[in-house]
Amino acid sequence: MIRVAFLINFSKEYKGGINYIKNLLYTNCITKFPDLEFYVFVPSNIEQEYIDLFSPYAKVIYTDIFKTFTIPWFLNKAFNRAFKYQLPLYMLFKKHKINVVSHSFFWGNYRSLKLINWIPDFQRLHFPELWTKEQLDNITNIDNNIVKYSDVVILSSYDALNDYKKFVPEKLRKARVLQFVSQPGSISDVNKLYPQVRKKYNLLDEFFYLPNQFWSHKNHIVVLKAINLMVKSGLNPILVTTGVMNDFRGNNQNLVIIKDYIEKNNLTKNILLLGLIPYNEVLILMRKCVAVINPSFFEGWSSTIEEAKSIGKTVVLSDIPVHHEQNPNHAFYFNPRDEKELAHILTNLWSNRDVLLIEPTEKIKEELKDELLRRTRAFSENYYKIIKSLMQNN
C-alpha cells in the first residue's frame, strides 16, 4: 500500500489550493487504484466544513503542529529553523507510515519520504512589478527549495513547463505536467436552489459572471470598462463578481480603483461585488449566468474554466496561451487590454441571452457527464503514473 499525505499547512483563504486537493482526492473514487491510500493532515482546530470536504476521500489526521501558537507548532518551527528538518511532523508521518508527501509546500532531506511539490505558476517571471522585492525574493526562494528538495515538481500546464525550463533548465527531469480537472458539483435542481441565492444577494435572472479573486493581475477593470461601454450604448447588462476582495500581496489599490470606477460611472446597479461566497453558490451562479468571464493577464490553470467546461457553459476569456491550452468548447477570446473588443463580444452574447440561458437537453447533459468522466480519469491516471514511477525508483 502506498500512503500519500496532503498537508493543509497554508492559509484557508487559498481556496484554489483547497479545491485542487479535494478534486485530486476525488479522482481516486473514479479509478479506485487499490494500492493508493490518501491522508490529509489538518490543524486540530480546523472548521467542520473542511473535514466534510476531505473525509469522503481520505483519512483526516488532526494535529497541533498546524495549529498556530501551540507547543507542537513552535517545536516544529524551531527544528525547521535550526536544522531545516521538521522532526515533529516527520515523526507524525512515520507513525502513519506515510510514503509520499504531495502538493504541500513541504521540503527537506527525508530519506524515507518521497516528496511531490506543486508550483501553480510563474507569474512572478512575467509580472514582477506586482510584487515587492521582499515578496519576490520569498517566492523565488520557495520555488528554489521546491526544485532542490522535491523528487517530482508538478506543473499544471505546458505553458508553465515552458516557464520552468527558463527558471531551472538543469532540473527538467523533475518536472511533470498534470492538468487538473475541477468537479462542478452534483447540484440536482439549480432552478429550485437559485431563488434562494437570488434573494440572498438581490440578483436578477440574467447576468454575466466573473468568479475571480480581486488580485491586480486578474484584470477586473477591463470588464468594468466593457460594461460601461455597453451601458453607454443603451444596454443594461448585469455583471456579478465573487472572490476574496483583497490582494494576498498586501496591495489593495486595485480594489480601490475598481470601486472608484463603479461609483464615478454610476454602475452600482450594473456591477455587483459579492465578495467571498460559499462554493456551492459559486457553482449555482455559474450554471445560471449568461456566460463566465475570465479576463486575467495570467493564469497557471484556471479552475473557473475547468468548471465551466464541465457544465458546457459559454466562456469569455483573455487571449493568453494557457486559456487556449485549456481549450473549452464554447469560448470567445479577447485582448485583455482592449475593452472595446470585449464589449463587442459581450454585446453579442447579451443580445442572444435567451438562447444561452436555455437549459441543456438531457442528451447534452449526458455528453458533458461522459466528457467530464474522461478528463477526470485522465487526471487520476496521470497522477497515479507519477506516484508509481516515483516508488519504483525508490
Side-chain angles (χ1 to χ4, degrees):
M1 181 64 69
I2 303 172
R3 298 187 174 193
V4 183
F6 295 83
L7 316 181
I8 307 303
N9 57 351
F10 49 82
S11 169
K12 289 174 298 207
E13 282 193 353
Y14 182 27
K15 298 296 183 182
I18 296 285
N19 285 326
Y20 182 109
I21 291 173
K22 188 269 292 184
N23 284 318
L24 180 51
L25 294 173
Y26 168 81
T27 65
N28 201 47
C29 294
I30 302 297
T31 47
K32 292 184 171 62
F33 294 116
D35 54 345
L36 268 192
E37 194 169 75
F38 291 130
Y39 288 70
V40 180
F41 290 76
V42 303
S44 55
N45 61 339
I46 199 168
E47 293 87 344
Q48 184 62 39
E49 65 176 291
Y50 296 98
I51 305 304
D52 295 340
L53 198 65
F54 298 125
S55 58
Y57 318 117
K59 184 173 182 179
V60 178
I61 306 297
Y62 301 87
T63 174
D64 281 348
I65 293 172
F66 297 151
K67 182 181 177 183
T68 54
F69 306 118
T70 61
I71 291 175
W73 180 82
F74 275 115
L75 278 174
N76 200 62
K77 289 278 186 185
F79 269 99
N80 194 40
R81 190 175 297 113
F83 307 108
K84 304 297 181 186
Y85 193 84
Q86 300 181 50
L87 182 60
L89 187 54
Y90 177 68
M91 295 305 294
L92 187 61
F93 292 152
K94 292 287 285 183
K95 176 183 175 182
H96 292 281
K97 300 178 181 179
I98 299 301
N99 306 109
V100 181
V101 180
S102 187
H103 289 72
S104 295
F105 300 104
F106 174 80
W107 52 77
N109 291 313
Y110 301 91
R111 291 183 181 178
S112 62
L113 285 175
K114 293 294 186 180
L115 304 184
I116 298 174
N117 273 297
W118 173 43
I119 300 180
D121 62 58
F122 292 92
Q123 181 201 127
R124 61 181 173 80
L125 299 180
H126 297 267
F127 296 97
E129 69 276 8
L130 300 179
W131 311 71
T132 66
K133 184 182 184 305
E134 181 180 357
Q135 290 168 340
L136 276 175
D137 289 345
N138 182 54
I139 194 169
T140 301
N141 184 55
I142 289 173
D143 288 349
N144 279 325
N145 280 322
I146 284 175
V147 173
K148 179 180 179 180
Y149 292 107
S150 299
D151 297 286
V152 169
V153 178
I154 296 290
L155 305 166
S156 293
S157 67
Y158 287 95
D159 186 49
L161 179 62
N162 289 333
D163 286 336
Y164 181 93
K165 290 176 182 176
K166 298 171 189 174
F167 175 53
V168 279
E170 71 280 7
K171 299 291 186 180
L172 187 57
R173 63 179 180 79
K174 290 189 175 186
R176 303 287 187 277
V177 174
L178 181 66
Q179 298 170 329
F180 68 81
V181 177
S182 297
Q183 302 299 320
S186 56
I187 300 174
S188 57
D189 198 338
V190 176
N191 292 325
K192 286 185 178 179
L193 293 171
Y194 179 65
Q196 302 169 26
V197 177
R198 171 179 171 159
K199 183 178 180 181
K200 181 177 179 180
Y201 299 112
N202 194 27
L203 304 179
L204 298 176
D205 286 335
E206 300 173 336
F207 58 90
F208 293 115
Y209 186 32
L210 202 175
N212 269 0
Q213 315 290 36
F214 281 77
W215 304 335
S216 51
H217 70 280
K218 294 295 187 178
N219 193 29
H220 287 69
I221 194 67
V222 73
V223 186
L224 273 57
K225 289 179 178 179
I227 294 294
N228 192 32
L229 289 174
M230 293 173 70
V231 170
K232 287 181 176 179
S233 73
L235 298 174
N236 189 33
I238 304 296
L239 173 70
V240 175
T241 74
T242 60
V244 175
M245 296 184 70
N246 60 66
D247 194 318
F248 68 100
R249 290 166 292 229
N251 179 4
N252 289 316
Q253 186 59 31
N254 179 55
L255 189 58
V256 173
I257 292 170
I258 287 171
K259 289 182 175 179
D260 283 350
Y261 187 89
I262 292 172
E263 184 177 348
K264 288 177 181 177
N265 291 279
N266 299 313
L267 295 172
T268 54
K269 292 183 179 180
N270 298 92
I271 298 170
L272 307 179
L273 310 178
L274 303 188
L276 186 63
I277 68 172
Y279 185 58
N280 68 308
E281 293 180 354
V282 169
L283 297 174
I284 290 170
L285 292 180
M286 189 171 286
R287 284 172 165 84
K288 291 299 292 183
C289 70
V290 174
V292 173
I293 306 173
N294 189 336
S296 183
F297 286 122
F298 189 87
E299 292 283 342
W301 188 263
S302 172
S303 57
T304 295
I305 296 175
E306 287 303 305
E307 289 154 355
K309 281 167 64 173
S310 298
I311 61 175
K313 180 59 65 173
T314 297
V315 288
V316 182
L317 307 173
S318 52
D319 192 357
I320 59 177
V322 73
H323 282 169
H324 287 279
E325 185 178 335
Q326 289 190 253
N327 193 31
N329 287 331
H330 308 286
F332 296 86
Y333 296 91
F334 68 97
N335 180 338
R337 300 185 186 277
D338 189 345
E339 64 270 19
K340 291 181 180 178
E341 182 182 8
L342 176 57
H344 177 72
I345 293 170
L346 295 183
T347 296
N348 286 337
L349 293 176
W350 193 251
S351 300
N352 292 283
R353 60 190 184 276
D354 290 344
V355 175
L356 292 171
L357 289 172
I358 293 175
E359 188 79 12
T361 64
E362 290 303 316
K363 180 182 178 182
I364 291 175
K365 287 180 181 179
E366 284 302 312
E367 290 173 352
L368 290 169
K369 186 177 177 180
D370 290 343
E371 174 60 16
L372 174 59
L373 179 60
R374 183 196 65 77
R375 291 190 292 118
T376 301
R377 283 186 179 278
F379 180 27
S380 182
E381 289 166 359
N382 288 340
Y383 182 67
Y384 182 69
K385 288 176 185 177
I386 292 169
I387 295 287
K388 292 293 284 186
S389 175
L390 194 54
M391 296 307 295
Q392 288 166 3
N393 294 331
N394 199 350

